[in-house]
């Protein structure tokens, strides 16, 4: 299913009907509206203007479109800010107020804002909660974007003190949990607690972790209340939220998604590639600058599916150059179609494009739309039309399940641990996780992202790229599973309060594998050293950045070694512990060994080809400028494309 | 004519007479004084001390020098700041007050400061406005230097709100002009308007452009009032201002210069080269580190001539190492003479050196003078003496006009557009403009910088390297002209409010050339791609950083193509549109083609040689360490030098 | 003698006795405690808890350990901050308060804090000043670390105004000394004086230097008062302080050390190497990433000995990976022993390790200890045990004096000059001084660091790598000496107020050598140029970054020349002036020439080997991964090791 984001308030009313007609012609079924319209809905306290929105909905509905309505809370209007200046958040790096003039200028700890945000949400939900043209709701917009999960305000401080009291009960327990004795940081009462910002030098990691947990809880609490407000008045409409990349929410994404019907994701492969791979050398960067890295979109898709309560949506799909990355190339011809199909291949139920027409004013005027601002059709138009036609060829797409045998364990908490405790400047949990994911995908393996609380029984291979905090219940679930388990460096090394486990790393995981981490070192990235994989004795790989010294118990054997012959990867029964970061080819070869052992079918395709299965559908994507040949699986018929795949083209086969 | 900057208040009175005598001996005619002397002229509110300055002027006059008097407003004294703390500006990046202790610590929106600055200006103008030794005035000093055109103060905010009311009339018009509906940024009254600073994420480009226009207007208003104050009391003396590089004023330079008799420029080729080319690789940087780039001084000279109402002056010429760049090399032996002659060659009426003697104290103690602080003669002394002697050989220099057939259209407004809307981080309007200028100069073409309101009739080739905002009147003037017109990327793409033109780029310029910009992409600089010039099919050039996709109308032909064969440069009749940034050699070859077509004589000299004509004088400058041979124009006689030019030497010929 | 840092308050009391026993077994004699324990000693104003500390001391003493007690003033507790918020310092770069939550959150200009710090110091000193188990005291901790010597508070401003009044007497003298006439910066009263921070552009260098002197005086005054408080109650116990690297104190280190019995140093070779050499290319960096640069520890040792009133201690020795550098590698096996012996070789009386056991919580949980947090023995344990055993082989170690014939003149004041007046961004006084030191050490020369007031008679070669401010009394002492004198660039160029000397550089040093500095230039580091040493005419070296043009008097001869044949190093009698920075090999060859002339024995060992003598003991250290051969001095016997030195191993010989 396809859809689009539309802002009727940005365009003359005379255009609406023709826009709606053309959307339908293009095969779009959903249209998302209302997202940033607060100043048009309420021009002064209590002065509402819904007629225009009523008319817009009617126009869209009459053309046959289903409407997704939004709460406009990402952009409180100026009159509200002037009424309650404490709505504005405070920058935790500088202590200055983050002012009005763009978006997301609100503090999750402002009681005034919470009340006002729920009030406007209720007004909108009441009006449209049972409107027949409206199929569902989006809460707010890209929550926590622009680093807004954290605030250094007085409101935040008081709320944090209350949260601490709730969490720890007594100040003694807090002092002990945080190790406040260390530098006489002990508090005598909860009212003395400071935010862990703007101190002379680094604050206690436990203090920082508590502040991140608190901030995440504030976001979830705010968002949950909004979902409740909507559901109270829109009992038969779905509620979703459009997520930014999981690493950027600074929020427990599983918790944030919990009350939603499903998760939506805003997919900008080129903008995100520019930011994520910006430090890559030309040879690595240039080949994917107009496509995005082959695993980058699917990484987000698989994560979104992982945190969703059902299938996921792409709520915003990049249709052309954007405006907000450091450099903003156009997609190669074909990529908008390819990304759309990649979303479906990884389980998406719907793909909506952002935005219908390029808006000629304000901050995003250089952000492409499906149509140009002169109302001509941009390059994406024809590609979407092609997707529309191709979707008709696979009527049962929605019923085809993604069935992964491989899971990556993902937790925001452990991301926080690595951000709080760098130890080596170059350690980047996001890149570590992506690296493991990409290695698995280069083998054609379907991957689920799961929380540690997830049922592990569907999986044969479970990997945790970086999981310093583990719970006994997770370890118990690992024990109960029959999967191969692979843990990356730092795993199990910390208690839930970000202190060292008493029995050395990997802590509780020692119940699974007989290793102890005797010491940890971090290394300048350009000073990498040799790494040797026992099964590939002729090959030389790289150990880089993070390196742990291991002591092995009798049953544990060495899978890979450092330049000085000491163990780098160890295995005990079904459990592997990877004590270092490495180059990509090491991970690919290591996972290939494990997949072979598990008799999981792997495909070692060209580095720019990716394949994935959804039910009995088999997809192949060509991310390169080369024409490539695909060896079709046996007993399969081409639904789209054929065994020769053009540049930036794809093939879909049905397995018989 | 030569001159010098002098600070009698920095030296014992006993030195003054001998200094004056030696200045005259060195051929200096002008001496600029009084610039930073407020605390010596007014030691407490209303307590004036002019006797010392009277004596200094008399001493200089008696030696035969003409004095340029300054208003001391760049350095308000501490007692004034303590009386009116709102004089201090506020940093727009941090929101903190920019304190006392250096210079330019005033806010152009402080009414208290405006009043006090005009008061002291009037006092000084009254006293010396008809003094026979004083030939003219310099206002303030290097206005807007140190990023002082902008302030984030409460004063600035209120003044901006008033400016908006004046400019837009109603708040509805402002909301519409800025596209405030976009993110519910609509204001209900002018009193709600914020400065576009310190927001959560980027503010509206239109809002930012309005703030830049406002800030520029504040600077011009302040400066205009000062010029009026001076003229009221000094009706027969010239008034000038010493400009910093045009790109750094953040002010409409044509407007700022309007009330002046002529423009002066402060020329620091090495310091500016260090800052401007600081990211260039060694091979490019080192060869010019002690000379400056061969086009760098003349770029500023031609711009100064362009904004001036008559000939221009160099008010401060670097005489040796300075103190304020990242690295501060000495000029190669001969360069002070060369730079001086280059100024004259490009139309300067006078060159004044900064400063007479190196001052042993305070911020600029490491800034060289003509004399060292022990009163010995620095290397520049002999070079200036040589200029003095050589000037006598060309008695009619002042009467020789610069007659350019090539014009570059320059506007501060369009610089603002590119600073506000980066789109690609590496886009640098200053470097783009300099690149086009340098390519023209490498062909020996004389270049004028003109405003869009300028008479275009003198020109055969008019280039606009980057001109997003164009007016219909400019387009009309282009139509009326018979020149070849070359527009760079982004040209015509924006309305005057920094929104997209309704008919796609190049907007109004589509009246001149049948092209439409279908999409725009920006590219990491190291990911450049091939560019092909139709007339030089064997050559390969580089398309880099910025790239637009063009649709051509039937009459429009392709002049150059991208790597994928799509058009990169198009031409329709007399108008060319260059849709990309490129390497230097591409621009040189493109402009050479056009000059040949126009039968403009070009000279392709060694990359380190430059030639230019002023009336019947022909100048050649050698920026290299090599001895070089010059092919003299026919019917020309050497006035200075000969056909063999030594390193860092020059030749002047008179055409018969 | 060996020792350890211990925090009984971090551990269950049940562990204390066994810890103490094991310390003694490991050969540790000293144990430092109490450093950050304020919140445990005084839980609320006047509510003291000393019983636990009494018990801890008794436990340690009973095991045979000597205790070093600390004042806990580096970490004022929260209740004290809440009582007197003006204790918190203000960041001079941003103007924001530096908050509670880590350590060193106090302003040296807070009168409230001064009083409270002395109060708690007195309480502790009274209680333990005559305790038999306590051998001595450490004041505070790492004073001035985390850039805390400077504060931008109102307290600091008022104290600075008073300091200025004291120092200059009248405001006229201050205005003259600072050259305030320059930009109308003249003050009319001391109450008008601002701190030289947060101004529009750079403030006067003299103003900045005064502020640094003031800040240093504040630190010394605070510290001196604390020493007095301790001595009043602990007349028979030593008092020391654990210094951070001398360049980082921003304090006159000689003054700070004056009242102490001896100086202690906190030695972290890997962390400091990461920060100091962080910009070095891989080839230079990687070989020492797990050892530190061969001269880096001894540089600190020799400096510590230089500012100490007797022998020095290492109060904190890195025992494994730390947590605070950008990357934190483990030491190569053997390095903890090697660093310990290197400290003894350079004159240490005791080496204490930081810390006994890795603490599982708070900011330093990733900082290794001698024991791991599970109480197992880390790699350092066995190395320390080896040192314990080896120390027994050299019973007379403490009586062996370091007898250097070479001295480096060191002043904090001149470091300030170069930090205030960069002139070239890449000028780094710390690296210049280290470069000269390293060149001397590569020749095996023992080096003393001396203040300009030091007796110069013991030395044959005295070098001053960068000494802009010199006094006449120092020049007189140089004249009286018979040593060869070598001055680096900038030397003698400034008055004591950071203004230019009236007779050009090297100012007063012109009494020693007939040179004048005609001009100074700074050069981008990658644009280095050729340098030629007269005695090695075949060799080519590099002149880099800083370069002065010299005029030589008749008696002065050229020792080295620039690429353009002008003089770069000059000599007149016993005095050399080095006018440029250079590559390492130039300095090594220059100093080798001078040592040969003085008949100082030099050893040109492999770049990774270092040798030094202490009395009749000769030490050789192997910083490389190679097995190396040592040519033993004649008439010497191996006490430790032999002529073949293993990687990271050492040898000690006794000269007969
Ligand atoms: Zn991320
Ligand atoms: Zn500029
Ligand atoms: Zn340092």
């Amino acid at each position: 299913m396809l859809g689009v984001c539309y802002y009727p308030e940005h365009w003359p009313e005379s255009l609406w009907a023709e826009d709606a007609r053309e959307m339908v012609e293009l095969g779009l079924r959903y249209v998302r509206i209302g997202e940033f319209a607060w100043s048009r809905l309420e021009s002064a306290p209590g002065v509402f203007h819904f007629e225009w929105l009523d008319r817009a909905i009617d126009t869209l509905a009459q053309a046959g479109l289903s409407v997704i309505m939004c709460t406009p809370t990402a952009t409180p209007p100026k009159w509200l800010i002037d009424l309650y200046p404490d709505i504005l958040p405070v920058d935790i790096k500088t202590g200055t107020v983050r002012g009005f003039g763009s978006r997301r200028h609100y503090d999750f700890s402002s009681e005034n804002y919470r009340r006002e945000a729920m009030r406007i949400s209720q007004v909108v939900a009441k009006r449209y909660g049972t409107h027949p043209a409206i199929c569902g709701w989006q809460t707010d917009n890209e929550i926590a974007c622009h680093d807004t999960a954290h605030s250094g305000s007085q409101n935040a401080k008081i709320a944090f003190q209350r949260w601490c009291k709730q969490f720890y009960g007594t100040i003694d327990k807090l002092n002990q949990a945080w190790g406040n004795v260390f530098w006489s940081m002990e508090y005598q009462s909860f009212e003395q607690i400071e935010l862990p910002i703007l101190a002379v030098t680094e604050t206690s990691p436990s203090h920082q972790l508590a502040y991140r947990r608190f901030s995440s809880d504030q976001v979830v609490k705010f968002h949950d209340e909004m979902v409740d407000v909507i559901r109270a008045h829109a009992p038969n409409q779905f509620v979703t939220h459009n997520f930014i990349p999981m690493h950027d929410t600074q929020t427990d994404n599983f918790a944030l998604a919990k009350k939603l019907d499903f998760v939506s994701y805003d997919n900008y492969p080129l903008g995100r590639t520019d930011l994520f791979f910006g430090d890559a050398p030309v040879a690595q960067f240039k080949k994917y600058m107009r496509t995005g890295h082959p695993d980058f979109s699917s990484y987000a898709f698989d994560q979104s599916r992982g945190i969703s309560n059902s299938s996921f949506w792409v709520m915003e799909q990049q249709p052309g150059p954007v405006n907000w990355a450091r450099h903003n190339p156009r997609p190669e011809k074909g990529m908008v179609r390819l990304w759309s199909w990649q979303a479906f291949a990884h389980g998406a139920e719907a793909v909506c494009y952002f935005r219908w027409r390029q808006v000629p004013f304000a901050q995003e005027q250089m952000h492409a739309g499906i149509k140009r601002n002169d109302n001509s059709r941009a390059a994406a138009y024809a590609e979407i039309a092609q997707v529309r036609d191709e979707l008709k060829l696979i009527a049962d797409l929605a019923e085809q399940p993604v069935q992964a045998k491989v899971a990556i364990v993902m937790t925001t908490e452990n991301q926080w641990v690595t951000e709080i405790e760098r130890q080596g400047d170059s350690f980047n949990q996001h890149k570590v996780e992506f690296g493991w994911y990409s290695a698995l995908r280069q083998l054609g393996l379907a991957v689920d992202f799961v929380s540690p609380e997830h049922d592990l029984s569907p999986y044969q291979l479970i990997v945790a790229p970086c999981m310093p905090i583990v719970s006994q219940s997770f370890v118990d679930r690992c024990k109960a599973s029959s999967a191969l388990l692979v843990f990356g460096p730092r795993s199990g090394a910390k208690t839930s309060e970000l202190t060292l486990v008493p029995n050395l790393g990997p802590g509780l995981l020692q119940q699974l594998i007989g290793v102890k981490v005797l010491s940890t070192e971090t290394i300048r990235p350009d000073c990498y050293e040799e790494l040797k994989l026992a099964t590939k004795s002729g090959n030389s790989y790289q150990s880089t950045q993070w390196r742990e010294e291991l002591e092995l118990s009798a049953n544990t054997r060495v899978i890979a070694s450092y330049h000085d012959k000491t163990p780098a990867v160890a295995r005990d029964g079904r459990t592997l512990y990877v004590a270092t970061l490495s180059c990509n080819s090491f991970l690919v070869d290591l996972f290939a060994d494990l997949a072979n052992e598990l008799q999981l079918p792997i495909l070692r395709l060209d580095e720019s080809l990716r394949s994935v299965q959804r039910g009995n559908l088999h997809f192949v994507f060509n991310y390169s400028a080369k024409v490539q040949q695909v060896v079709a699986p046996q007993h399969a018929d081409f639904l789209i494309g054929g065994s020769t795949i053009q540049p930036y083209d794809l093939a879909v086969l049905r397995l018989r």
Side-chain angles (χ1 to χ4, degrees), chain A residues 164-230:
Chain A
C164 287
K165 188 162 194 173
Q166 186 84 24
F167 195 89
Y168 294 102
T170 70
I171 198 68
D172 283 353
K173 281 191 185 147
L174 177 146
N175 282 326
Q176 182 145 20
W178 294 4
N180 278 346
V181 63
F182 186 64
W183 280 343
S184 275
M185 299 174 294
E186 290 168 305
Y187 292 110
Q188 286 75 43
S189 74
F190 287 101
E191 289 68 36
Q192 285 178 323
I193 296 175
E194 298 285 342
L195 298 180
I197 62 173
L198 298 169
V200 169
T201 183
E202 57 172 337
T203 53
S204 169
S206 306
H207 187 181
Q208 292 182 57
L209 181 61
Y211 175 65
R212 303 240 186 173
R213 283 188 172 129
F214 151 77
S215 298
S216 173
D217 284 358
Q218 294 292 91
V219 173
V220 171
K221 199 172 74 176
F222 178 92
H223 183 257
D224 278 359
E225 186 174 348
M226 190 175 290
V227 175
D228 290 345
V229 165
I230 295 168

Side-chain angles (χ1 to χ4, degrees), chain A residues 141-439:
Chain A
N141 175 68
E142 297 188 341
I143 230 162
C145 191
H146 314 302
D147 293 322
T148 49
H150 300 137
S151 173
S153 66
Q154 190 64 15
N155 280 332
K157 186 160 102 174
I158 290 166
F160 180 53
Q161 290 168 349
R162 287 190 190 134
W163 182 94
C164 287
K165 188 162 194 173
Q166 186 84 24
F167 195 89
Y168 294 102
T170 70
I171 198 68
D172 283 353
K173 281 191 185 147
L174 177 146
N175 282 326
Q176 182 145 20
W178 294 4
N180 278 346
V181 63
F182 186 64
W183 280 343
S184 275
M185 299 174 294
E186 290 168 305
Y187 292 110
Q188 286 75 43
S189 74
F190 287 101
E191 289 68 36
Q192 285 178 323
I193 296 175
E194 298 285 342
L195 298 180
I197 62 173
L198 298 169
V200 169
T201 183
E202 57 172 337
T203 53
S204 169
S206 306
H207 187 181
Q208 292 182 57
L209 181 61
Y211 175 65
R212 303 240 186 173
R213 283 188 172 129
F214 151 77
S215 298
S216 173
D217 284 358
Q218 294 292 91
V219 173
V220 171
K221 199 172 74 176
F222 178 92
H223 183 257
D224 278 359
E225 186 174 348
M226 190 175 290
V227 175
D228 290 345
V229 165
I230 295 168
R231 292 212 190 278
H233 300 93
N236 301 315
Q237 298 171 350
F238 67 73
V239 185
T240 188
H241 176 74
N242 60 331
F243 279 66
I244 56 173
M246 304 305 142
H247 280 82
D248 295 339
T249 64
Q250 287 295 337
T251 303
D252 178 337
N253 295 297
F254 288 101
L256 188 57
K258 201 168 181 188
K259 287 206 162 197
L260 298 173
D261 290 283
F262 58 84
V263 157
S264 298
Y265 179 69
D266 290 354
N267 190 44
Y268 292 94
L270 300 192
R272 293 287 167 192
T273 286
D274 183 82
L275 297 179
F276 190 71
F277 295 102
D279 55 353
V282 164
Q284 279 174 44
F285 184 85
K286 192 177 176 184
K287 60 186 169 188
Y288 297 132
M289 74 178 176
R290 292 198 186 95
T291 65
H293 187 286
D295 299 312
F296 204 68
S297 290
S298 71
Y299 174 60
F301 300 150
D302 289 344
Q303 288 186 326
S304 299
R305 199 181 64 245
I307 65 165
S308 194
N309 292 302
S310 72
S311 175
F312 74 100
W313 280 36
V314 173
M315 188 58 88
E316 302 184 7
Q317 171 58 52
Q318 174 172 7
V322 300
N323 62 301
W324 45 263
R326 288 177 295 195
H327 300 92
N328 295 294
R330 65 172 167 80
E332 289 288 358
K333 193 170 155 46
M335 285 311 298
V336 174
R337 167 179 170 250
L338 189 150
W339 293 323
S340 303
W341 270 113
Q342 203 172 11
F344 290 123
H346 285 264
E349 184 179 326
V351 173
C352 301
Y353 301 92
F354 181 90
R355 50 193 296 150
W356 175 245
R357 186 164 44 233
Q358 187 164 356
V359 69
F361 46 74
Q363 282 90 332
E364 293 182 356
Q365 58 185 273
M366 296 299 283
H367 191 302
I370 297 173
K371 305 196 77 182
R372 299 192 192 93
N373 71 299
D374 70 342
N375 213 22
S376 61
R377 295 174 175 182
Y381 196 100
E383 298 190 28
I384 297 167
Q386 185 176 353
V387 176
R388 170 199 63 198
D389 297 340
E390 290 167 342
L391 275 171
K392 295 174 189 156
L393 305 174
I394 314 177
D396 63 346
L397 175 64
E399 287 91 62
Q400 301 289 338
V402 177
Q403 289 165 315
K405 296 293 171 203
V406 181
I408 294 181
V409 186
M410 167 173 79
T411 61
T412 304
E413 186 169 70
N414 282 306
Q415 174 191 341
W416 293 334
V417 169
T418 63
E419 289 169 350
I420 291 166
E421 189 187 80
R422 313 276 313 246
Q423 190 60 17
D425 266 14
S426 58
F427 193 95
N428 181 322
Q429 193 265 359
H430 197 171
K431 295 208 168 178
V432 171
E433 185 179 87
F434 178 77
W436 284 44
Y437 173 80
S438 179

Side-chain angles (χ1 to χ4, degrees), chain A residues 593-636:
Chain A
D593 282 353
L594 300 180
N596 288 335
E597 175 181 340
L598 294 165
Q599 295 179 294
L600 288 173
I602 60 174
L603 276 169
R604 298 195 83 154
L605 303 169
D606 179 88
E607 58 149 20
S608 61
L609 284 179
R610 285 298 178 281
S611 72
V612 73
Q613 288 185 208
R614 179 175 175 181
N616 64 16
L617 299 171
H618 183 88
F619 297 82
V620 185
F621 300 99
N622 183 3
Y623 263 80
S624 79
K626 302 176 288 190
V627 177
Q628 303 213 52
Q629 296 303 318
V630 174
V631 181
Q634 283 191 310
H635 312 296

